[in-house]
Amino acid sequence: MGSVSQTSLSPLPSSDRVDVAARLRDALLGASFTADGLLELLGAPAYAALARSETVPALRATRGDTPLETLVRLFLLQQPVPHARVADVLPVEDCLDSGWLTRVGGDEVAATVDIRPYGGSGGEDWFIVSDLGCAVGGAGGIGSREEGVVLGVGGASTTLAGITVRTPVASALDLGTGSGIQALHAAQHATRVTATDLNPRALHITALTLALSGAPAADLREGSLFEPVRDDETYDLIVSNPPFVISPGARLTYRDGGMSGDDLCRTLVQQAGERLNEGGFAQFLANWQHVEGEDWQDRLRSWVPRGCDAWIVQREVQDITQYAELWLRDAGDHRGDAAEYQARYDAWLDEFEARKVKAVGFGWITLRRTAGDRPSITAEEWPHPVEQPLGETVRAHFDRLDYLRAHDDAALLAGHFKLVEEVVQEQVGLPGAEDPEHVVLRQHRGMRRATKVDTVGAGFAGVCDGTLSAGRILDAIAQLVGEDPVLLRDRTPAQIRLLVEQGFLEPAR
């Protein structure tokens, strides 16, 4: 499946026949065509292979004629299936009339779109619609040269869904909706969802995804970035998995932004601030250039709009050759003419060299609109494993910023703190040594951070259970180690601030 190359895009099912989508949904659920049902039928290896767009294991596992095997072959593996077999499972004539299926050969039918079961964050059984052969979004080497192709769920999609803050809101905006996964998630906690895309085919497929998943319809608007949004419209949540690939030209709508360098991501971030309600969040995935002579963190800080706190996390860095190869494979160029592949590769490197780009970073950018006069911008590199979903971790990060901003050192020492759950202490040093070389506090939840602390910091964190103030704890530690309590109170608040900011300590409410 990863090597499928379409010469033309299939006609899409009607997005107006909500009644047919509802009957199709009922039939899919009745046959256990769900994420759990697929895992049970296919087994873990074949199920995981599907996520890599490899279909051979699933083909081997669906040689029978059960309803679920029929649906897997029809909608996931894009195999023609005898009309009579499909009629036993689906409202086949309705699906043919509304365009979900098409007749092929003498007595067979085939799917016009890929339908992939997807488990919602609350255990919902959803279905993501995408173009044939494109169920797995992102750099999977789909090999489609069609400019308007619409991909399904990939690692980037699920990453953004996982980091998004999920508090109930009145309004949410999904910019560049694609197959509609972010709009689908937002519909669970937003009263009103607006979804935009430059590609009208993507808007059509988003409508299908929402209808087939039993979600409320969204306000769908065609256009680039914030163009479809009226001047007087603001939102409580903005999410975007934009076409962030830094490429020479815009060949593929789903990934190439068409602006120079990382200008699309910069523009998206800079324009988001004025579209947010106070306290609202804007969350994006992005690529950014590492330019010779520039600090990437300074570059990203310059993107943050006024009146917004920001948390920028760089998850990965690739040198320009790795980056070019990744996206050349994504377009299937490595399987084509060798001279054409070399010319495209050269074009990428020429573009990077002209702009003095030495590497490309990938990560998350979260903005929060704040009424405060001292916005906080945190830009950090964290390539290590994290625990998804992270939405609550993201929200708590900004809550802690509010707390720290409102408490000077005196107020901090008067405050009460608790060590968060599942933090462990590691002591590193030579075997048999009387004292460790250093002490590390490590989280086993959320960002799974690790931070070095001195013995005072470790002792302080270990005692924090919310009963004593920070100052009282430091006085006791000073007496224990024979240090001047005034000096200890003077030098420790910076360490307490770091432990609070990074989520090791939380204010005891």
Side-chain angles (χ1 to χ4, degrees), residues 134-153:
C134 301
V136 180
I142 61 166
S144 174
R145 304 298 181 89
E146 293 292 337
E147 181 183 346
V149 68
V150 179
L151 273 61
V153 179

Side-chain angles (χ1 to χ4, degrees), residues 431-479:
E434 184 175 343
D435 296 312
E437 291 179 21
H438 57 260
V439 178
V440 174
L441 298 181
R442 187 179 301 278
Q443 302 167 348
H444 283 275
R445 305 297 300 272
M447 290 292 286
R448 294 177 174 166
R449 294 187 184 279
T451 188
K452 289 183 182 180
V453 292
D454 59 22
T455 53
V456 170
F460 177 86
V463 176
C464 282
D465 61 4
T467 57
L468 294 176
S469 71
R472 290 279 303 277
I473 294 174
L474 290 178
D475 291 344
I477 292 175
Q479 185 175 8

Side-chain angles (χ1 to χ4, degrees), residues 34-354:
T34 64
D36 289 341
L38 287 186
L39 181 59
E40 183 175 348
L41 170 69
L42 302 177
Y47 186 72
L50 269 183
R52 302 189 300 269
S53 292
E54 295 290 348
T55 59
V56 172
L59 284 167
R60 293 171 61 87
T62 54
R63 293 167 172 169
D65 57 1
T66 66
L68 181 54
E69 287 171 298
T70 297
L71 294 176
V72 171
R73 283 190 159 253
L74 189 64
F75 289 118
L76 287 186
L77 307 179
Q78 279 91 58
Q79 300 294 307
V81 178
H83 182 285
R85 279 183 60 185
V86 178
D88 290 338
V89 188
L90 300 178
V92 65
E93 295 305 324
D94 285 341
C95 289
L96 285 166
D97 290 343
S98 59
W100 291 96
L101 301 175
T102 187
R103 297 181 186 275
V104 294
D107 62 346
E108 291 185 317
V109 297
T112 58
V113 290
D114 191 298
I115 299 176
R116 182 153 301 210
Y118 176 78
S121 54
E124 303 91 348
D125 287 314
W126 293 337
F127 300 98
I128 308 299
V129 180
S130 63
D131 275 313
L132 295 174
C134 301
V136 180
I142 61 166
S144 174
R145 304 298 181 89
E146 293 292 337
E147 181 183 346
V149 68
V150 179
L151 273 61
V153 179
S157 302
T158 55
T159 294
L160 179 59
I163 68 173
T164 300
V165 176
R166 297 296 174 196
T167 51
V169 295
S171 57
L173 173 63
D174 176 16
L175 286 178
T177 187
S179 59
I181 178 175
Q182 309 305 330
L184 181 56
H185 275 282
Q188 310 309 302
H189 64 103
T191 304
R192 175 173 58 90
V193 176
T194 302
T196 73
D197 205 290
L198 184 63
N199 182 4
R201 187 175 181 87
L203 296 175
H204 191 134
I205 283 182
T206 291
L208 298 176
T209 290
L210 294 173
L212 196 58
S213 298
D219 179 2
L220 303 176
R221 305 183 190 178
E222 183 180 344
S224 177
L225 300 180
F226 289 99
E227 288 176 2
V229 179
R230 295 192 304 271
D231 290 342
D232 61 343
E233 288 182 301
T234 55
Y235 297 87
D236 302 309
L237 174 67
I238 300 173
V239 293
S240 184
N241 176 19
F244 53 65
V245 177
I246 300 170
S247 58
R251 295 172 60 202
L252 300 173
T253 303
Y254 73 85
R255 69 169 207 191
D256 300 323
M259 294 187 185
S260 176
D262 52 18
D263 282 355
L264 183 135
C265 291
R266 176 184 56 79
T267 301
L268 182 62
V269 173
Q270 288 179 336
Q271 293 181 354
E274 62 186 10
R275 299 295 184 178
L276 281 176
N277 294 324
E278 186 177 329
F281 287 92
Q283 299 186 261
F284 315 109
L285 301 184
N287 273 170
W288 46 80
Q289 298 171 151
H290 284 230
V291 179
E292 187 177 335
E294 286 187 25
D295 183 284
W296 74 266
Q297 293 171 315
D298 291 341
R299 181 182 183 84
L300 271 290
R301 288 189 184 99
S302 73
W303 292 7
V304 178
R306 294 182 62 184
C308 288
D309 293 326
W311 185 17
I312 301 161
V313 182
Q314 181 166 273
R315 296 288 290 159
E316 184 180 0
V317 181
Q318 292 183 311
D319 67 46
I320 57 174
T321 59
Q322 292 173 312
Y323 189 80
E325 290 161 15
L326 171 70
W327 295 108
L328 287 166
R329 286 196 302 272
D330 172 71
D333 292 321
H334 61 305
R335 290 187 292 267
D337 178 74
E340 183 179 346
Y341 174 81
Q342 182 175 340
R344 291 192 185 279
Y345 201 150
D346 271 332
W348 284 70
L349 297 185
D350 287 344
E351 186 105 345
F352 284 134
E353 289 174 8

Side-chain angles (χ1 to χ4, degrees), residues 473-491:
I473 294 174
L474 290 178
D475 291 344
I477 292 175
Q479 185 175 8
L480 186 65
V481 300
E483 189 167 340
D484 185 336
V486 175
L487 294 177
L488 194 60
R489 277 174 171 256
D490 187 55
R491 68 177 175 86

Side-chain angles (χ1 to χ4, degrees), residues 372-385:
D373 58 356
R374 291 181 294 139
S376 170
I377 301 176
T378 302
E380 62 176 319
E381 185 163 14
W382 189 253
H384 310 294

